[in-house]
Structure formats: structure tokens, C-alpha cells
Amino acid sequence: MTSTVLNPITAAMTDFTATRAMFHLPAGVTYLDGNSLGPLPIAAQERARRVVADEWGEMLIRGWNTAGWMAAPGRVGDRIARLIGAPAGSVVMGDTLSIKVYQALASALSMRPDRRVVLSDSGNFPTDLYIAQGLLASLGSDYRLKVVAPDEVADAIDDNIAVTLLTEVDYRTGRRHDMPALTARAHDVGALAIWDLAHSAGAVPVDVTAGAADFAVGCTYKYLNGGPGAPAFIYVAPAHHDAALPALSGWMGHAAPFAFDLDYRPGKGIERMRVGTPPVIALAVLDAALDAWDGVAMADLRARSIELSEAFIAGVEARCAGVTLASPRDPHARGSQVGVRHPQAYAVMQALIAEGVIGDFRAPDILRFGFAPLYNDLADVDRAVTVLADILATGRWDRPEFHARNAVT
Ligand SMILES: *Cc1c(COP(=O)(O)O)cnc(C)c1O
């Protein structure tokens, strides 16, 4: 794993006070849930108004050409590319992450037609596993999803494996897989590697090129702040651009969508991973959100993320009785979130949220706190620790209202 050493000189170069000022952070709220839904970038509001009123409203159908709507999935994809170490022209936006997992897995499997096993791990986000189960069932009963414990992945990569489908940063514990090492191992046995970057993109420096990922996918509503339901991205390594077929062969990925041919012909390069009509309004909002990254060096982001998460862990361990660390202690083995366990984690989190400290709960017993350097600072960490310590010391999490379950946790 590439470890980023804390470097006070580069850490001073990105102005995180300036990036924090780019977000609308509601008064009285300490927001540590950007790993689930990033906050509203102020610029996104004006951008949404413009795309709705000036483009859709005034241009109508002409917007596809005059406002560049048709090219938006690739244009925004290039901005994501910079954040994940991908070359321009290798990332495209669209659909949801679940759909992009399906596409990447189906493409990769078709490139290994003599193999039948997909390898994933029990720390993966369930939708990735569900999508794999559904896809494999449709391909035939000889296909199999093998799920092992996260620390058993390396040993489970053998020459039966067609594809490894792994999420780099564990959504509950923040444990980070060693992307270059596991990818190299997959390649050694002739398998392809798909990386889900849902909790990596915008959270840690990612380099899909150096890591030699074959495919990578991710969502943009977490650390990339694109808003609820923002479009997902898919990366295909340039070496595979001609071999990878999109599986979901929609007209927007056709070589000539407006020829209206009866037969599918894949478009050039990453364009073929487009499926249907792009979500123009959502892409405009995401595009505005990505402005916050323009002056950010990823090494600075990492240094700041480690500073915040280490301060949080130290504070929790010194001041909060009854919780235990669920995340790896070594910051280089973590992403940008920290999980702590408590037997009544759900109620404790509800009590925190009632007092304006917003994290989230992941079953069965994890309190999850995300640290997003663009807008979180040490004052947020201190407030979260202080409120958590007080809630635990007084036991006020045990009030009946904090035990009532909401649909979305
Ligand atoms: C958040 C997340 C998803 C969500 O998928 P959607 O299709 O956007 O709902 C999928 N996979 C991982 C690893 C995630 O963390």
C-alpha cells in the first residue's frame, strides 16, 4: 500500500479553511457522515438553478448540443479521473454504483470465458455481493461467488478465480485493502481485478494506474459531495478498452447512437460504458461539487485525514467509556473513517444525532464517523468526542426515543 507520510510542508499547501467555506454546513451540526452523503457545496445551488432555468428552461432540446449535455458524462469523468490516478478518457459517469458493479463484473467475466469463480470478501458492501449473485445466477449454475474473510483474500486468489471484486475501504471499519498487492496477485494467476472505490474516491489518494486495476467503480454522493443519488463512475484500464464489452449495451454506448442502427456496435473506448440518457441535472450539480477539489493535493488530503482520525481515536480512547475501536489502529491500514463498537450503537448514534453530531450506525454494533478533510476540522473532532463522552457517561442514549428504528440508518 502506498503510505503517505505526514509532511508539514505539503500539508500547508492545501487551504482546507478555504475548502470548508465552499460547503453549506447547517448551524449547530457537526457533520461526520460525509462517507454516506457529502454536504451541499454552495456552488451547486447556483449551478442547479442555471442548468434548470437557463439550459433546460430556455434551450429545451437544443441543450443537448449547445449546453454540452451529451458530452457531460465524459467531461465529468475526466475530473474524477484526476482524483483516482486515471488518464483522461478512461472514466465515464452514469447510472448508480450497483449498475456499474454489474457492468464491470459482466465485462470482466466475458474476458475470462474459461473461468467461473468470482472472489469477494465478507467486508464488502452487500449490494456488490447481491449484484454478483444475480449476475452469476443469470450466467449459469456453474458460476460461483466465493466470499472469504477480508484477511483471507490474498490466499484465496488462485487460478480458478476469474475476477476479484473487492472494495478498497471497508464501509464499516474503514479497513483498507492493499490494492497494488492484491491486484498483482490476481494478475499472477491470470485473473482480473475490479476495485470498488466508494469509500476511497475523495477520501484517500487512489492510483488505479499504479495499482494496475483492470476496472474501478465508485459513487459520487459520499466523499465527492455530488448530492443524493448522484451518478456513479466506471473506469476501464486503457489496455482493455477494445476488449471490454459493456454488457449493458445501451444506445448511448453505441458507436453511433443517432444512426439508430438495429444492431449494437460498441462505441469507442470508455464511451461504450455509457448506457442510457445521462442525468444532466445531477451531472451539473456534481460538476460544481468537483470544483472544491481543484486546489487540493491528495497527499495533503491524506495527511489531514490521518490527523483528524488519529485525534478522534485518541479522544475516544481517553474520554469515552464503553466503546471499543472497530477500525485498524494503523492509520495506513484505514481509509478516512473510524468505526467504534458499542452494544447499543444504534441508540447511541440517535442520541448523538439529537445533539447535532451526525455520524451513522452500521449493523450490528458500529458507530461510524467519517472524516472529510475538505470541510471537517479538529473542532469537529473535539465536539464529537465531547458529546459522545457525555452521552455515554450519563447513559442518556437509553431513552426510549433513541431505540426506535428509522428505515435509513
Ligand atoms: C455506498 C456503496 C454502494 C452503493 O451503491 P448504490 O448503487 O449507489 O446504491 C455500493 N457499493 C459500495 C462498496 C458502497 O460503499
Side-chain angles (χ1 to χ4, degrees), residues 135-387:
L135 170 60
L136 298 185
S138 73
L139 289 175
S141 57
D142 49 342
Y143 279 86
R144 190 161 72 87
L145 174 65
K146 183 173 178 181
V147 178
V148 300
D151 58 0
E152 290 167 3
V153 168
D155 288 340
I157 300 175
D158 59 31
D159 59 13
N160 291 311
I161 306 296
V163 181
T164 59
L165 174 63
L166 299 169
T167 296
E168 187 192 16
V169 175
D170 185 295
Y171 75 105
R172 280 178 298 208
T173 64
R175 186 232 355 98
R176 189 179 181 189
H177 272 312
D178 187 336
M179 181 195 295
L182 292 176
T183 304
R185 172 112 188 100
H187 290 168
D188 281 348
V189 300
L192 293 171
I194 300 172
W195 286 97
D196 188 326
L197 304 177
H199 291 279
S200 312
V204 295
V206 179
D207 194 331
V208 292
T209 304
D214 297 292
F215 295 81
V217 291
C219 52
T220 60
Y221 48 79
K222 294 173 180 165
Y223 291 93
L224 298 175
N225 313 304
F233 65 85
I234 183 166
Y235 159 80
V236 180
H240 300 318
H241 278 187
D242 292 334
L245 291 170
L248 297 170
S249 42
W251 72 307
M252 285 292 156
H254 191 279
F258 288 89
F260 296 104
D261 288 343
L262 294 185
D263 292 316
Y264 181 77
R265 275 184 296 122
K268 257 180 61 160
I270 195 68
E271 287 284 307
R272 66 179 60 174
M273 293 295 162
R274 294 175 61 163
V275 182
T277 302
V280 171
I281 297 168
L283 279 167
V285 168
L286 172 61
D287 192 31
L290 293 174
D291 289 351
W293 293 95
D294 282 349
V296 175
M298 296 313 263
D300 296 350
L301 184 89
R302 185 62 173 150
R304 178 73 156 168
S305 154
I306 291 174
E307 180 189 15
L308 296 173
S309 52
E310 289 288 275
F312 179 75
I313 292 172
V316 166
E317 295 197 322
R319 295 163 59 193
C320 301
V323 294
T324 54
L325 183 65
S327 297
R329 188 163 294 276
D330 172 7
H332 300 300
R334 290 196 305 264
S336 200
Q337 68 202 44
V338 173
V340 297
R341 292 185 203 278
H342 185 281
Q344 293 292 331
Y346 182 83
V348 173
M349 182 53 72
Q350 294 312 302
L352 276 168
I353 292 171
E355 296 186 33
V357 176
I358 303 183
D360 61 19
F361 160 79
R362 284 296 173 263
D365 62 354
I366 290 188
L367 297 153
R368 194 171 67 151
F369 302 90
F371 298 94
L374 290 192
Y375 52 84
N376 287 135
D377 59 19
L378 286 168
D380 293 332
V381 171
D382 189 57
R383 174 147 189 261
V385 172
T386 301
V387 175

Side-chain angles (χ1 to χ4, degrees), residues 96-99 124-125 127-128 167 171 196 198-199 219 221-222:
T96 67
L97 176 49
S98 300
I99 302 280
N124 206 345
F125 191 81
T127 202
D128 295 43
T167 296
Y171 75 105
D196 188 326
H199 291 279
C219 52
Y221 48 79
K222 294 173 180 165

Side-chain angles (χ1 to χ4, degrees), residues 5 26 29 36 43 54 84 93 97 123 140 231 279 288 306 380 384-385 387 392:
V5 180
V29 168
S36 217
D54 302 350
I84 62 167
M93 312 304 300
L97 176 49
I306 291 174
D380 293 332
V385 172
V387 175
L392 292 170

